């Protein structure tokens, strides 16, 4: 409550008498005496009543109960997804864009427009390919639609689809990959 007295010196007079007020309050607390309730204490109580609900709401909203931290598993998956993306996709899809076909980016609006806005659809397109995009699945067919480079395992494509969906939902923020 001493901070309130510093902010509002009108409760006890001028700022020069502030040190006297602080000394008197400490002395009264040490001696166990009760200071008579005056105008200053009523103002402090009213200010506390006014500020308590929004401060309590802010503390609860920012607490880990309402916003649990990202688990280590999610962080590791995001890092692995970023590494896979860098290895297999970054050549055409830098920052979620598309240097080959501008209307087929990995941004949310384009994914929705092209009907590829779920993890399952992203998985299917990544596995089998679509249009100019080659498929990367181990059993991708037809042969002309599939990449000539290294293929990805099913679990890698699932991880990659989860990563792409997550990044698209966040408008492709920068993410560090393993080895950066």
């Amino acid at each position: 409550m001493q901070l309130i007295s510093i902010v509002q010196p009108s409760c006890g007079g001028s700022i020069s008498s502030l040190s006297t007020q602080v000394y008197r309050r400490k002395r009264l607390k040490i001696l166990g005496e009760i200071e008579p309730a005056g105008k200053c204490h009523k103002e402090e109580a009213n200010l506390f009543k006014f500020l308590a609900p929004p401060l309590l709401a802010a503390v609860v909203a920012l607490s880990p109960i309402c916003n649990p931290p990202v688990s280590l598993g999610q962080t590791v998956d995001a890092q692995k997804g970023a590494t896979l993306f860098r290895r297999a996709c970054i050549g055409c899809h830098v920052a979620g864009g598309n240097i080959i076909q501008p209307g087929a980016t990995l941004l949310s609006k384009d994914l929705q427009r092209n009907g590829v806005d779920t993890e399952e659809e992203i998985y299917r397109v990544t596995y089998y390919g679509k249009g100019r995009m080659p498929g990367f699945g181990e059993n991708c067919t037809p042969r002309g639609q599939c990449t000539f480079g290294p293929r990805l395992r099913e679990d890698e494509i699932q991880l990659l689809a989860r990563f792409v969906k997550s990044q698209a939902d966040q408008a492709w923020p920068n993410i560090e990959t393993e080895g950066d």
Side-chain angles (χ1 to χ4, degrees), residues 36 44 46 72 98 126 139 162:
E44 289 173 354
N46 286 339
L72 181 60
N98 189 331
T126 306
N139 299 318
R162 196 173 318 125

Side-chain angles (χ1 to χ4, degrees), residues 29-47:
K29 287 180 184 176
I30 291 170
L31 296 175
E33 297 176 20
I34 300 174
E35 195 171 356
K39 179 182 174 188
C40 185
H41 291 289
K42 288 180 184 175
E43 287 178 11
E44 289 173 354
N46 286 339
L47 184 62

Side-chain angles (χ1 to χ4, degrees), residues 94-148:
V94 177
N98 189 331
I99 64 169
I100 306 294
Q101 193 171 351
T105 71
L106 301 178
L107 302 174
S108 286
K109 63 180 174 69
D110 285 341
L111 290 174
Q112 288 172 355
R113 187 183 69 243
N114 295 322
V116 191
D117 58 341
T118 64
E119 281 183 34
E120 293 79 19
E121 285 298 313
I122 295 169
Y123 173 89
R124 187 185 57 72
V125 169
T126 306
Y127 196 96
Y128 295 106
K130 180 180 180 182
R132 292 183 180 173
M133 179 171 161
F136 286 85
E138 292 175 310
N139 299 318
C140 175
T141 56
R143 188 166 174 79
Q145 182 62 46
C146 305
T147 184
F148 295 108

Side-chain angles (χ1 to χ4, degrees), residues 14-124:
S14 68
I15 293 179
S16 62
S17 66
L18 182 62
S19 60
T20 308
Q21 292 173 16
V22 171
Y23 171 76
R24 184 170 181 268
R25 286 185 183 169
K26 286 182 180 177
R27 184 174 159 258
L28 289 172
K29 287 180 184 176
I30 291 170
L31 296 175
E33 297 176 20
I34 300 174
E35 195 171 356
K39 179 182 174 188
C40 185
H41 291 289
K42 288 180 184 175
E43 287 178 11
E44 289 173 354
N46 286 339
L47 184 62
F48 179 73
K49 286 179 186 177
F50 178 74
L51 292 177
L55 288 174
L56 183 60
V59 167
V60 169
L62 297 174
S63 74
I65 295 170
C66 293
N67 299 311
V70 175
S71 74
L72 181 60
Q74 288 173 323
T75 304
V76 169
D77 282 352
Q79 293 296 321
K80 287 180 181 176
T83 301
L84 280 170
F85 187 82
R86 175 171 276 172
R87 189 177 84 204
C89 312
I90 201 94
C92 298
H93 295 285
V94 177
N98 189 331
I99 64 169
I100 306 294
Q101 193 171 351
T105 71
L106 301 178
L107 302 174
S108 286
K109 63 180 174 69
D110 285 341
L111 290 174
Q112 288 172 355
R113 187 183 69 243
N114 295 322
V116 191
D117 58 341
T118 64
E119 281 183 34
E120 293 79 19
E121 285 298 313
I122 295 169
Y123 173 89
R124 187 185 57 72

Side-chain angles (χ1 to χ4, degrees), residues 75 78-79 82 86 163 167 172-177 180:
T75 304
Q79 293 296 321
R86 175 171 276 172
F163 172 76
Q167 290 294 101
W172 285 88
N174 290 336
I175 186 164
E176 293 181 16
T177 59
D180 278 357

